[in-house]
Amino acid sequence: MRTYEIIITSRSSGLIEIIPDSISIDGLKRKTNTDLNTFYRNFFHHHFKEAQNNFVESLAGYSLVTYLLNLKDRHNGNIMIDMKGRIIHIDFGFILGISPGNVGFETAPFKMTKEYLNLMDGINSGVYNYFIALLTKGFLELRKYFDSFVKIIEVMSKNSDMPCFQGRDPNIVIKDFIERFHLEKDENDIQELMASLTRDSINSWSTYQYDMYQQLTNGIKP
């Protein structure tokens, strides 16, 4: 995953580090007028397998973050591709269940479109199985730090004016966060959980409709 620095300059402003050598998927489609699978195979050409691997590994990381933080507003203006083929999410303004307009429209655990699947050679491919394995390994690793994550959110929620806590019971927000870790499941059950979350995300009706909404209202290409 790509991290970047943020410098807080006031209660309502700050400076965000730019992400060089990258372009939003919306911008990419405006320039190339093609789908991701075709673009990767043409642009990366002899390095396609490396770029495909970078895409899958980064997608697994961002899928876990999207799921655990209940991150919303995942349109193609907020998702980027870099020169190595990695996917990069930006704009984390809608976290812990809040969404634009508070309509709660995006219901999939994370974004998994038909384009993503095609780039991974389909649901029956070794690449797809590798993605599920990465989700499983990553999720188990994140659960080791569960207590630290909860404490961070508890501190954030105290007398907070952050939108994700305004007008909401922080205890419920934290409870929902804890439930997404599925602490009742043992390690043997986690792979099936990750596979289930992915199936729920594949070609999600709400994901598709939100992309269509963004295209109609803001011209962002799905």
Side-chain angles (χ1 to χ4, degrees):
M1 293 176 61
R2 173 65 161 86
T3 60
Y4 50 87
E5 297 292 332
I6 299 175
I7 299 176
I8 299 172
T9 57
S10 76
R11 288 174 60 88
S12 60
S13 64
L15 298 173
I16 301 178
E17 178 189 358
I18 64 169
I19 302 177
D21 299 324
S22 61
I23 187 173
S24 70
I25 296 179
D26 169 58
L28 180 66
K29 291 191 170 191
R30 291 176 187 275
K31 288 179 177 292
T32 64
N33 196 31
T34 189
D35 63 275
L36 287 178
N37 189 35
T38 302
F39 170 77
Y40 267 68
R41 293 181 186 276
N42 291 337
F43 182 81
F44 294 107
H45 196 40
H46 297 302
H47 302 287
F48 169 73
K49 283 297 182 182
E50 179 185 352
Q52 183 189 51
N53 191 69
N54 289 338
F55 174 83
V56 171
E57 292 181 352
S58 55
L59 179 63
Y62 282 107
S63 295
L64 288 172
V65 168
T66 299
Y67 167 64
L68 290 173
L69 291 183
N70 206 356
L71 184 64
K72 307 298 181 183
D73 202 26
R74 296 301 87 198
H75 56 72
N76 282 341
N78 285 338
I79 303 177
M80 308 181 76
I81 299 292
D82 73 5
M83 291 293 289
K84 297 292 186 180
R86 292 178 289 245
I87 197 167
I88 301 169
H89 283 234
I90 61 172
D91 192 345
F92 297 86
F94 294 96
I95 63 171
L96 298 177
I98 63 170
S99 59
N102 285 323
V103 296
F105 194 72
E106 298 165 90
T107 59
F110 45 81
K111 190 160 190 174
M112 177 59 68
T113 66
K114 182 178 180 180
E115 279 191 286
Y116 292 4
L117 277 179
N118 287 341
L119 184 50
M120 291 193 290
D121 299 330
I123 198 168
N124 296 315
S125 70
V127 179
Y128 179 84
N129 291 334
Y130 179 49
F131 174 76
I132 299 298
L134 288 171
L135 286 183
T136 303
K137 183 177 180 179
F139 188 78
L140 289 172
E141 190 67 23
L142 288 168
R143 286 212 308 187
K144 295 177 183 178
Y145 304 94
F146 162 77
D147 288 335
S148 297
F149 294 145
V150 172
K151 286 182 174 63
I152 289 171
I153 294 180
E154 287 176 342
V155 170
M156 288 169 54
S157 70
K158 300 300 182 183
N159 301 315
S160 176
D161 59 1
M162 293 179 64
C164 57
F165 296 113
Q166 288 183 351
R168 307 172 75 197
D169 184 343
N171 293 320
I172 294 177
V173 174
I174 294 169
K175 175 178 175 290
D176 290 343
F177 177 72
I178 292 172
E179 287 179 351
R180 286 193 288 277
F181 280 88
H182 289 273
L183 299 177
E184 77 284 359
K185 295 184 180 295
D186 61 30
E187 291 190 9
N188 295 327
D189 296 326
I190 296 304
Q191 182 170 345
E192 176 51 36
L193 171 64
M194 293 299 105
S196 176
L197 292 175
T198 304
R199 289 193 296 268
D200 290 344
S201 300
I202 290 173
N203 290 328
S204 164
W205 181 86
S206 67
T207 296
Y208 174 79
Q209 292 298 325
Y210 189 68
D211 280 344
M212 292 300 100
Y213 170 79
Q214 287 294 336
Q215 183 179 35
L216 288 172
T217 57
N218 296 311
I220 297 172
K221 287 186 173 293

